[in-house]
Amino acid sequence: MKQKTPLAGVIGWPINHTRSPRMHDFWLKRYQIPGHYVPLAVSSEGLEEALRAMALLGFRGVNVTLPHKERVLELASSVSETARRIGAANTLTFREDGSFHAENTDAYGFSQNILQQFPDWKPDAGPALVIGAGGASRAIVQALIDARVPEIRIANRTQSRAEALASHFGPCVSAIGWSDLARGVDGAVTVVNATSMGMNGNTPLTVDLHGACPEAIIADIIYEPLRTPFLEGAAAQGFRTVDGLGMLLHQGRHGFESWFGEAPVVDEDLRVYVMG
Ligand code: ATR
């Protein structure tokens, strides 16, 4: 069933917190595309059937959020190299025959967001510290590997998860102790909070950043609030900071372009609209 009006959406469980529909609605309006992007609550039990139904209904593709990002790899008929390495996908594109391709654009979103704001960021000039070892960390570590970071240090409250992540990605990634963050910061040119610490109501993350390179980029994946205590602390120490909203917006560009046919731009108007 080929729809004239392009349809796309986002599937997850729960789905009410996603900001992706606001982002895509903004772009659809900006580029005057008569398409629709809808949030769809899909449970784990209903995932396979929902994907089949969406293909049948003529959806061009969907974004995938928790808890389906890993499972969709098994259901896809093709998986990009990046998605396979990360072990998760966030962007699916349907083909005419109902099969779909799975891509992960989180790593791209992470890097592009920093580069848009700080084009002189040289991630390969020194080590990076990634704090956290969940799904977001995997994409960020992949982005840092792609950017040829020579040494990636992972610190996580649960040490075993940091070690598992390090052994998955290979020799340039190592786990450091949670109480050893200062050593992880030493000489770093990139420091990333990839935990949920600092999100509205959660315990904030505090890290002594004194040992980092003076021109280091300090990034957070959190965007509620936009300015986390971690970023405020870093800015107060004179570091360049990057909030988590840009990563969300940049990861959405690839899907929009492949479903709606226009390469969208991330700018301040979009940021304001999505947070509004
Ligand atoms: P995601 O897939 O979005 O990264 P996740 O897999 O739940 O989500 O990971 C959340 C990350 O935040 C983990 O690294 C988690 O640490 P644990 O592996 O020890 O659970 C981290 N995190 C959450 N709350 C934390 C807290 N209060 N202190 C330290 N780390 C925390």
Side-chain angles (χ1 to χ4, degrees):
M1 203 186 294
K2 181 80 182 160
Q3 290 282 350
K4 264 213 162 112
T5 304
L7 285 178
V10 53
I11 55 171
W13 186 274
I15 199 65
N16 33 344
H17 295 303
T18 176
R19 290 191 184 255
S20 290
R22 283 187 77 78
M23 165 169 69
H24 287 272
D25 285 349
F26 178 91
W27 282 332
L28 286 168
K29 214 173 277 167
R30 170 179 277 178
Y31 300 110
Q32 298 178 4
I33 297 167
H36 298 287
Y37 182 99
V38 289
L40 296 163
V42 173
S43 68
S44 297
E45 299 72 44
L47 178 63
E48 203 170 342
E49 216 175 330
L51 288 168
R52 254 202 307 273
M54 270 181 269
L56 207 60
L57 289 167
F59 274 66
R60 304 251 170 116
V62 276
N63 285 124
V64 181
T65 186
L66 298 177
H68 306 313
K69 285 181 153 194
E70 289 88 18
R71 177 80 202 294
V72 290
L73 294 188
E74 296 161 27
L75 303 173
S77 62
S78 62
V79 175
S80 77
E81 186 56 30
T82 305
R84 197 175 297 287
R85 276 196 245 125
I86 294 170
N90 68 343
T91 307
L92 310 181
T93 302
F94 292 110
R95 302 194 183 88
E96 293 277 335
D97 66 0
S99 66
F100 64 86
H101 177 71
E103 177 58 275
N104 190 311
T105 64
D106 286 330
Y108 169 86
F110 173 77
S111 300
Q112 285 303 304
N113 178 39
I114 298 180
L115 285 168
Q116 187 183 37
Q117 293 172 66
F118 300 108
D120 64 339
W121 176 49
K122 293 269 181 297
D124 56 344
L129 169 65
V130 178
I131 304 164
S137 307
R138 291 173 81 90
I140 290 165
V141 169
Q142 185 59 50
L144 295 169
I145 289 172
D146 290 344
R148 301 183 190 289
V149 173
E151 183 192 347
I152 302 165
R153 304 160 181 164
I154 315 284
N156 194 54
R157 175 179 63 179
T158 310
Q159 174 86 10
S160 57
R161 285 186 92 190
E163 281 161 9
L165 202 144
S167 69
H168 171 82
F169 282 104
C172 71
V173 186
S174 58
I176 63 163
W178 184 243
S179 56
D180 224 5
L181 284 177
R183 186 166 67 83
V185 164
D186 196 31
V189 297
T190 313
V191 178
V192 190
N193 173 34
T195 73
S196 50
M197 297 181 77
M199 200 186 293
N200 287 337
N202 289 2
T203 316
L205 174 68
T206 43
V207 184
D208 179 359
L209 293 167
H210 280 103
C213 275
E215 61 280 0
I217 298 289
I218 313 298
D220 206 320
I221 62 160
I222 306 292
Y223 54 87
E224 289 179 277
L226 271 177
R227 306 295 303 168
T228 57
F230 173 61
L231 290 188
E232 291 290 5
Q237 289 176 65
F239 289 105
R240 304 188 292 175
T241 61
V242 173
D243 65 52
L245 179 60
M247 179 174 171
L248 169 78
L249 303 179
H250 281 275
Q251 67 74 31
R253 290 169 60 204
H254 173 85
F256 189 88
E257 184 174 1
S258 61
W259 308 324
F260 298 119
E262 186 89 37
V265 169
V266 171
D267 60 12
E268 192 53 32
D269 288 349
L270 173 68
R271 285 176 59 90
V272 169
Y273 184 80
V274 169
M275 291 310 286

